Amino acid sequence: MNLREIALLLNGKTEGDEDKEIAGVGKIETAAENEITFISNPLYVKYFKNTKACAVIVSEDFDKGDLRKDITLVRVADPYLSFLKLLDKFEESKTNTLTGISEFSIVGTDSEIGERVYIGNFVSIGSNCKIGADTKIFSSCSIDNNTEIGNNCIIYANVSLYKDTVIGNNVIIHSGTVIGSDGFGFAKQDDGTYNKIPQTGRVVIEDNVEIGSNCSIDRATLGDTRICRGVKLDNMIQIAHNVTIDENTVIASQVGIAGSTKIGKRCMIGGQSGIVGHITICDDVIIGAAVGVPKSIDKPGLYTGYRARPLKETLRMEVGMQNIRKLEDRVKELEKKLYK
Amino acid sequence: MNLREIALLLNGKTEGDEDKEIAGVGKIETAAENEITFISNPLYVKYFKNTKACAVIVSEDFDKGDLRKDITLVRVADPYLSFLKLLDKFEESKTNTLTGISEFSIVGTDSEIGERVYIGNFVSIGSNCKIGADTKIFSSCSIDNNTEIGNNCIIYANVSLYKDTVIGNNVIIHSGTVIGSDGFGFAKQDDGTYNKIPQTGRVVIEDNVEIGSNCSIDRATLGDTRICRGVKLDNMIQIAHNVTIDENTVIASQVGIAGSTKIGKRCMIGGQSGIVGHITICDDVIIGAAVGVPKSIDKPGLYTGYRARPLKETLRMEVGMQNIRKLEDRVKELEKKLYK
Amino acid sequence: MNLREIALLLNGKTEGDEDKEIAGVGKIETAAENEITFISNPLYVKYFKNTKACAVIVSEDFDKGDLRKDITLVRVADPYLSFLKLLDKFEESKTNTLTGISEFSIVGTDSEIGERVYIGNFVSIGSNCKIGADTKIFSSCSIDNNTEIGNNCIIYANVSLYKDTVIGNNVIIHSGTVIGSDGFGFAKQDDGTYNKIPQTGRVVIEDNVEIGSNCSIDRATLGDTRICRGVKLDNMIQIAHNVTIDENTVIASQVGIAGSTKIGKRCMIGGQSGIVGHITICDDVIIGAAVGVPKSIDKPGLYTGYRARPLKETLRMEVGMQNIRKLEDRVKELEKKLYK
């Protein structure tokens, strides 16, 4: 792609040589000579002087001064979004080459495979499965019976989908993630041993969800564990049986959500936080990192602390804790005065 | 199975049409017309009016009033336990169909495979292994040399068992779990680099243990890391080298237990808690969620807080913390009074 | 190996029958009759009386008294280091037997495989990869296109390496670990949904690194996520996109490090700690277990607490918290005195 084509794609204007061929995109500090980069944050303007990149995407009012007349500028309304668009374009051209079903994979009886599907080596697909068009399944995935995967999904290597799992369209699941393992349910017996409570429900993942690597999402005891449209999960997240996570909620890595809890729409949950079972978090709640949520939250807002509290309370308490020593000194003074 | 047969199985009495054929079990809110459901918790009585299920398991004294004469009742002593029994029955009939060794699996030399074993696609079993009767191993598992697995186990897809691992009877291991990886042991050198301390012990999993998905259980430096009879581990649990977890202890997800620690019998450990190395937790200890345990515990009871303390102390401290502001105000009043 | 050869290897002196053949090494409490053990810590001297081992590595001044004339002693300068050396020797002889490329593995076009490489069953290696000499790759690993692995590495079963990953020499990666999955980056749209930000960078693992089981290391958005020479990572560690971990830093299990953070050289980070994104931790910092690090640290030393603070401050605060109740009582006394 040359810079004329790039400007067209980004709805921008070039300033300088627009015949240069661009091989890829890079960060302004490390881009190569045949790459294009961008400046969005003013903090990065200082790198402009020395970048090796031959072209830079900048805002419409960017002032390059007298410097670097060798660099072609591409002026756009929003350099960051334009850059992402371009990144996508370059990436797309690489992954679209994957098609075909490896002869070293196995598809069970009565399973339907859509058009243009890619199935890598040593993938095992059970019976009665449906794999939608344009979906890509990387090597060593295990997909058990009666599983449905929609169109245009990417399932990376070594993912395990237990039987009966339902996955929508445009879903991405990263390596090592396990979906549909048994929920953690046992009935204590009089002799102190535990009997397993059968976990016969399933997991449903709706459209446009992305799930990071090494996550665990357990099947419901009965009914569904459900990850709704547009939810984004980072790596190593634990979702217990019968949990529901509503649309467009975003969860950072190493969070754990215990059984039967319901998380609302558009929530954001920080890394390593934990949410107990059988509670409800309403829409638009933001939970900080490493927060424990011991009970339901019914007001939107920011919650932080070892036990989740509205941010204001946490700060007040933190200040209070830091004041304890001072308080002790003041009480000591009072005592001296009074008891002497 | 019709309702007459179900009543017989559950030692219950039918009330209504007992010829109906039941296809499965469901939750009272979502069960289908050919399914049976149950009411155990009085909170669920309200769903009785509108459930689609054609039969409901209820207690002996359940009062259905004038409502829903179309529903057949099955009256039993304990509706919840009866329901679990039935769930088991339906589940059993589905998984018992798995037998046979995939021609796309590999078994090494001198390995013994018991009767009625199921081995899925792309399973690799090393040399000198023993797999007991009725055990099921799902696709893409890797089982290294000299591993023993007992009778009637289920090893789900993508599990990794390192060499020398010993697994008892009736053990369930979920996908992504790794057993027998090297313990984390290094000797610091004078130049700041680390030398690996060889980890030559093994992991022993006793009978009736269940281990969730994506757990890591490290082999001992020397001797055994041991998970005793009846222990139940949730997902993403980290067990370091030389740890022992004694009988019938139950651990929730994302817990970490550091090296050489011994956990007693019948303990319960809440999610995301962490236990330091080289300590001993006595029998019958309950540890809350997200608790850090920095030293041995030698009295049974409930321990909570960022640093584990008996529950009473934690609560007293929490109340104290909330009182700091009030305390400050009271001191201010005293000061005003005294210094004015 | 007999005891004469062992003494030679360890630069030690035998005392007793040096013709005994030694089959392996064991702990003093549990060693078998044909094994050698050691005493380094005085706490273990008490086991000398009853050990089954036929030989014991001891310090030069160890006093065996009149006991156990049947045991051969091997006297050395440092019994622990000597024991590790011997352990290594026995271990080496076992794993060195692995060579050859399984006929049930697949290597893509234009990939180079070095000499004496071992590739296990059902390993999938993409195109344009390089695997260095003496490297061992265990079963069901998935290694995507354009990946480079150096010499003398061990990649255990079920590891997933995404495309473009670079791994140095003498690197060990345990089962279930995922390297190169997409960083967690999304741009929020006006309608509340998220657009994926393409993650087009890679992961670079330098020489002599060991990575535990079930870790997740994400590729950079642009540029590299980098694990430098000699770093040792325990199990279940989450490393987000664009993180750098500098040389000889050691991290315990279940730690999470958020995006773009830089960790210095020779740091030690305790289990379950979390470090927020976009900060810098300087060299020689020690972070306790279950610590949250909310901002950059620019002074070496020990940091602890729910929010990382220098140890002294944490202790002072803990003491303060424990004093709150006492303080309340003192204020109550003052009030009685003053208001009555």
Side-chain angles (χ1 to χ4, degrees):
Chain A
M1 221 169 358
N2 65 27
L3 286 167
R4 188 175 304 110
E5 291 160 333
I6 286 173
L8 202 69
L9 175 76
L10 302 181
N11 201 17
K13 283 183 189 159
T14 56
E15 204 171 305
D17 177 4
E18 62 181 28
D19 288 325
K20 288 177 190 166
E21 271 298 319
I22 300 299
V25 290
K27 288 198 292 186
I28 194 162
E29 309 98 297
T30 56
E33 282 169 42
N34 55 1
E35 290 183 336
I36 188 167
T37 184
F38 77 112
I39 294 175
S40 167
N41 187 326
L43 283 173
Y44 286 80
V45 173
K46 64 181 178 196
Y47 293 107
F48 183 68
K49 219 167 36 176
N50 294 315
T51 185
K52 284 190 196 147
C54 67
V56 182
I57 300 170
V58 296
S59 63
E60 280 155 359
D61 59 358
F62 177 77
D63 176 13
K64 76 163 170 174
D66 288 339
L67 289 163
R68 303 300 306 266
K69 295 198 171 148
D70 57 316
I71 289 180
T72 304
L73 299 184
V74 181
R75 294 193 183 273
V76 299
D78 185 330
Y80 183 57
L81 287 184
S82 293
F83 182 70
L84 292 183
K85 201 170 173 183
L86 200 57
L87 207 51
D88 240 352
K89 190 79 188 172
F90 276 100
E91 196 55 13
E92 206 181 273
S93 63
K94 284 191 215 164
T95 54
N96 270 356
T97 57
L98 291 173
T99 45
I101 296 175
S102 164
E103 54 180 322
F104 303 100
S105 66
I106 294 174
V107 177
T109 52
D110 298 316
S111 285
E112 295 170 29
I113 308 295
E115 292 185 19
R116 296 172 306 279
V117 161
Y118 166 73
I119 298 181
N121 300 317
F122 311 124
V123 169
S124 176
I125 296 178
S127 54
N128 278 310
C129 295
K130 276 187 202 167
I131 312 291
D134 300 300
T135 282
K136 296 172 175 59
I137 301 176
F138 282 68
S139 53
S140 291
C141 282
S142 169
I143 296 175
D144 207 349
N145 300 339
N146 308 314
T147 290
E148 284 180 36
I149 301 177
N151 300 326
N152 200 33
C153 294
I154 305 177
I155 316 288
Y156 284 101
N158 280 312
V159 164
S160 305
L161 305 182
Y162 281 55
K163 63 177 179 176
D164 306 328
T165 299
V166 176
I167 291 176
N169 301 313
N170 310 311
V171 169
I172 300 175
I173 301 176
H174 285 280
S175 290
T177 282
V178 176
I179 296 181
S181 41
D182 286 348
F184 194 62
F186 299 91
K188 198 169 186 173
Q189 306 301 298
D190 291 341
D191 64 354
T193 65
Y194 289 86
N195 275 3
K196 184 173 176 68
I197 298 174
Q199 306 290 314
T200 64
R202 56 178 192 171
V203 177
V204 177
I205 311 282
E206 297 185 357
D207 294 351
N208 305 330
V209 167
E210 181 161 345
I211 299 173
S213 63
N214 284 326
C215 289
S216 293
I217 303 180
D218 282 350
R219 66 176 52 235
T221 309
L222 285 170
D224 299 337
T225 301
R226 183 172 290 267
I227 312 294
C228 297
R229 280 180 74 87
V231 166
K232 308 296 178 186
L233 303 181
D234 199 351
N235 303 331
M236 288 192 204
I237 290 172
Q238 147 73 2
I239 309 280
H241 46 180
N242 295 84
V243 164
T244 298
I245 300 179
D246 214 337
E247 296 181 12
N248 298 317
T249 279
V250 175
I251 302 182
S253 74
Q254 297 181 314
V255 164
I257 299 177
S260 299
T261 281
K262 289 184 193 321
I263 311 279
K265 295 178 167 63
R266 296 173 305 274
C267 292
M268 303 176 76
I269 302 180
Q272 299 189 327
S273 288
I275 300 180
V276 302
H278 299 276
I279 68 171
T280 301
I281 308 293
C282 69
D283 296 346
D284 300 302
V285 166
I286 302 174
I287 293 170
V291 174
V293 181
K295 55 182 185 183
S296 290
I297 292 178
D298 58 8
K299 285 199 185 63
L302 174 56
Y303 293 77
T304 60
Y306 173 67
R307 291 216 184 162
R309 293 177 224 265
L311 178 62
K312 257 191 204 162
E313 282 183 35
T314 307
L315 290 178
R316 203 186 299 147
M317 203 143 72
E318 292 249 325
V319 168
M321 277 167 62
Q322 284 163 5
N323 286 345
I324 296 173
R325 293 284 293 197
K326 290 184 204 155
L327 205 57
E328 267 193 287
D329 292 342
R330 285 158 67 186
V331 171
K332 207 177 287 173
E333 275 308 303
L334 286 169
E335 288 171 338
K336 260 194 227 161
K337 191 111 192 170
L338 214 65
Y339 295 127
K340 210 175 27 176
Chain B
M1 222 168 357
N2 66 27
L3 286 167
R4 188 175 303 112
E5 291 160 333
I6 286 173
L8 202 69
L9 175 75
L10 302 182
N11 200 15
K13 283 183 189 161
T14 56
E15 203 172 305
D17 177 3
E18 61 180 28
D19 288 324
K20 286 177 191 167
E21 271 298 318
I22 300 300
V25 290
K27 290 199 292 187
I28 193 161
E29 310 97 297
T30 55
E33 283 169 42
N34 53 1
E35 290 183 336
I36 188 167
T37 184
F38 76 112
I39 295 174
S40 167
N41 187 326
L43 283 173
Y44 285 79
V45 173
K46 65 182 176 194
Y47 293 107
F48 183 69
K49 216 168 35 175
N50 294 314
T51 185
K52 284 190 196 147
C54 68
V56 182
I57 301 169
V58 296
S59 62
E60 280 155 358
D61 58 358
F62 177 78
D63 175 14
K64 76 164 172 175
D66 289 338
L67 289 164
R68 304 300 306 266
K69 298 200 169 147
D70 56 317
I71 289 180
T72 304
L73 299 185
V74 181
R75 294 193 183 273
V76 297
D78 185 331
Y80 183 56
L81 287 184
S82 293
F83 182 70
L84 292 183
K85 201 169 173 185
L86 200 57
L87 208 51
D88 240 353
K89 191 79 188 169
F90 276 101
E91 196 54 14
E92 207 180 272
S93 64
K94 282 191 214 163
T95 55
N96 270 356
T97 58
L98 290 173
T99 45
I101 297 175
S102 164
E103 54 180 322
F104 304 100
S105 66
I106 294 174
V107 177
T109 53
D110 299 315
S111 285
E112 296 170 30
I113 308 294
E115 291 185 19
R116 297 173 305 279
V117 162
Y118 166 73
I119 298 180
N121 300 316
F122 311 124
V123 168
S124 176
I125 296 178
S127 55
N128 278 309
C129 294
K130 277 187 201 165
I131 312 291
D134 299 301
T135 283
K136 295 173 175 58
I137 301 175
F138 283 69
S139 53
S140 291
C141 283
S142 169
I143 295 174
D144 208 348
N145 300 338
N146 308 315
T147 289
E148 285 179 38
I149 300 177
N151 300 327
N152 200 33
C153 294
I154 305 177
I155 315 289
Y156 284 102
N158 280 313
V159 164
S160 305
L161 305 182
Y162 281 55
K163 62 176 180 178
D164 306 328
T165 299
V166 177
I167 292 177
N169 301 314
N170 310 310
V171 170
I172 300 175
I173 301 176
H174 286 280
S175 290
T177 282
V178 175
I179 295 181
S181 41
D182 286 347
F184 194 63
F186 299 91
K188 197 168 187 174
Q189 305 301 298
D190 291 341
D191 64 355
T193 65
Y194 289 85
N195 275 3
K196 184 173 177 67
I197 298 175
Q199 306 290 313
T200 64
R202 56 179 192 168
V203 177
V204 177
I205 311 282
E206 297 184 357
D207 294 350
N208 305 330
V209 168
E210 181 160 346
I211 299 172
S213 63
N214 283 326
C215 289
S216 293
I217 303 180
D218 282 350
R219 64 176 52 236
T221 310
L222 286 170
D224 299 336
T225 301
R226 184 172 288 267
I227 312 294
C228 298
R229 279 179 75 87
V231 166
K232 308 296 180 186
L233 302 182
D234 200 351
N235 303 331
M236 287 192 205
I237 289 172
Q238 147 73 2
I239 309 280
H241 45 180
N242 295 83
V243 164
T244 298
I245 301 179
D246 214 338
E247 295 181 13
N248 298 316
T249 279
V250 175
I251 302 182
S253 74
Q254 296 182 314
V255 164
I257 299 177
S260 299
T261 280
K262 290 186 193 319
I263 312 279
K265 294 178 167 63
R266 297 173 303 274
C267 293
M268 302 176 76
I269 303 179
Q272 298 190 329
S273 288
I275 300 181
V276 302
H278 299 275
I279 68 171
T280 301
I281 309 293
C282 68
D283 296 345
D284 300 302
V285 167
I286 301 173
I287 293 170
V291 174
V293 181
K295 54 181 186 185
S296 289
I297 292 178
D298 57 8
K299 286 200 185 62
L302 174 57
Y303 294 77
T304 59
Y306 173 67
R307 291 215 185 163
R309 291 176 225 265
L311 178 62
K312 256 191 204 163
E313 282 183 35
T314 307
L315 290 179
R316 203 186 299 146
M317 202 144 72
E318 291 251 322
V319 168
M321 277 167 63
Q322 284 162 5
N323 286 345
I324 297 173
R325 292 285 293 198
K326 289 184 203 155
L327 205 57
E328 267 194 285
D329 292 342
R330 283 158 67 187
V331 171
K332 207 176 286 171
E333 276 307 304
L334 286 169
E335 287 170 341
K336 260 195 225 160
K337 192 112 191 168
L338 214 64
Y339 296 126
K340 214 173 26 172
Chain C
M1 226 170 353
N2 65 28
L3 287 167
R4 189 175 302 111
E5 291 161 333
I6 286 174
L8 202 71
L9 174 76
L10 303 182
N11 201 15
K13 284 184 188 157
T14 56
E15 204 171 305
D17 177 3
E18 61 181 29
D19 288 325
K20 287 177 191 165
E21 270 298 318
I22 301 299
V25 290
K27 290 199 290 186
I28 194 162
E29 309 98 296
T30 56
E33 282 169 42
N34 54 1
E35 289 182 336
I36 188 167
T37 185
F38 77 111
I39 295 175
S40 167
N41 188 327
L43 283 173
Y44 286 79
V45 173
K46 64 180 177 196
Y47 293 107
F48 183 68
K49 215 168 35 172
N50 294 315
T51 185
K52 285 190 196 146
C54 67
V56 182
I57 301 170
V58 296
S59 62
E60 280 154 359
D61 58 358
F62 177 78
D63 175 13
K64 77 163 170 175
D66 288 338
L67 288 164
R68 304 300 305 269
K69 296 199 170 148
D70 57 317
I71 290 181
T72 304
L73 298 185
V74 181
R75 294 193 183 273
V76 297
D78 185 329
Y80 183 57
L81 287 184
S82 292
F83 182 70
L84 292 183
K85 201 170 172 184
L86 200 57
L87 207 52
D88 240 351
K89 190 77 187 174
F90 276 100
E91 196 54 14
E92 209 180 272
S93 64
K94 284 192 215 161
T95 56
N96 270 357
T97 58
L98 290 173
T99 45
I101 297 175
S102 163
E103 54 179 324
F104 304 99
S105 67
I106 293 174
V107 177
T109 53
D110 299 316
S111 285
E112 297 169 30
I113 308 294
E115 292 184 18
R116 296 172 304 279
V117 161
Y118 166 73
I119 298 181
N121 300 318
F122 311 125
V123 168
S124 176
I125 296 178
S127 55
N128 278 310
C129 295
K130 276 186 203 166
I131 313 291
D134 300 300
T135 283
K136 295 172 175 59
I137 301 176
F138 283 69
S139 54
S140 290
C141 283
S142 168
I143 295 174
D144 207 348
N145 300 338
N146 308 315
T147 290
E148 285 179 37
I149 300 177
N151 300 326
N152 200 33
C153 294
I154 305 176
I155 315 289
Y156 283 102
N158 280 313
V159 164
S160 305
L161 305 182
Y162 282 54
K163 63 176 179 179
D164 306 329
T165 299
V166 176
I167 291 176
N169 301 314
N170 310 310
V171 169
I172 300 175
I173 301 177
H174 286 281
S175 290
T177 282
V178 176
I179 295 180
S181 41
D182 286 347
F184 194 63
F186 299 92
K188 197 167 186 173
Q189 306 301 298
D190 291 341
D191 64 355
T193 64
Y194 289 84
N195 275 3
K196 185 173 177 66
I197 298 175
Q199 305 290 314
T200 63
R202 57 178 191 170
V203 177
V204 177
I205 311 281
E206 297 184 358
D207 295 350
N208 305 330
V209 167
E210 181 161 345
I211 300 173
S213 63
N214 283 326
C215 289
S216 292
I217 303 180
D218 282 350
R219 65 176 50 236
T221 310
L222 286 170
D224 299 337
T225 301
R226 184 172 289 266
I227 312 293
C228 298
R229 279 180 74 87
V231 166
K232 308 296 179 188
L233 302 182
D234 199 351
N235 302 332
M236 288 191 203
I237 290 172
Q238 146 74 1
I239 309 281
H241 47 181
N242 294 84
V243 164
T244 298
I245 300 179
D246 215 337
E247 295 180 11
N248 298 317
T249 279
V250 175
I251 302 182
S253 75
Q254 297 181 314
V255 164
I257 299 177
S260 299
T261 281
K262 290 184 193 321
I263 312 279
K265 294 178 167 62
R266 296 173 304 273
C267 292
M268 303 176 76
I269 302 180
Q272 298 189 329
S273 288
I275 300 180
V276 302
H278 298 277
I279 68 170
T280 301
I281 308 292
C282 69
D283 296 346
D284 299 302
V285 167
I286 301 174
I287 293 170
V291 174
V293 181
K295 55 182 184 184
S296 289
I297 292 178
D298 58 7
K299 286 200 185 61
L302 175 57
Y303 293 77
T304 60
Y306 173 67
R307 292 214 184 164
R309 292 177 225 264
L311 178 62
K312 256 191 207 164
E313 282 183 35
T314 307
L315 290 179
R316 202 186 299 147
M317 203 142 75
E318 291 250 324
V319 169
M321 277 167 63
Q322 284 163 3
N323 287 344
I324 296 173
R325 293 287 293 197
K326 291 184 202 155
L327 204 57
E328 268 193 286
D329 292 342
R330 284 158 67 186
V331 170
K332 207 177 284 171
E333 276 308 304
L334 286 169
E335 287 169 340
K336 260 195 224 158
K337 191 115 191 165
L338 215 64
Y339 296 127
K340 212 176 32 182

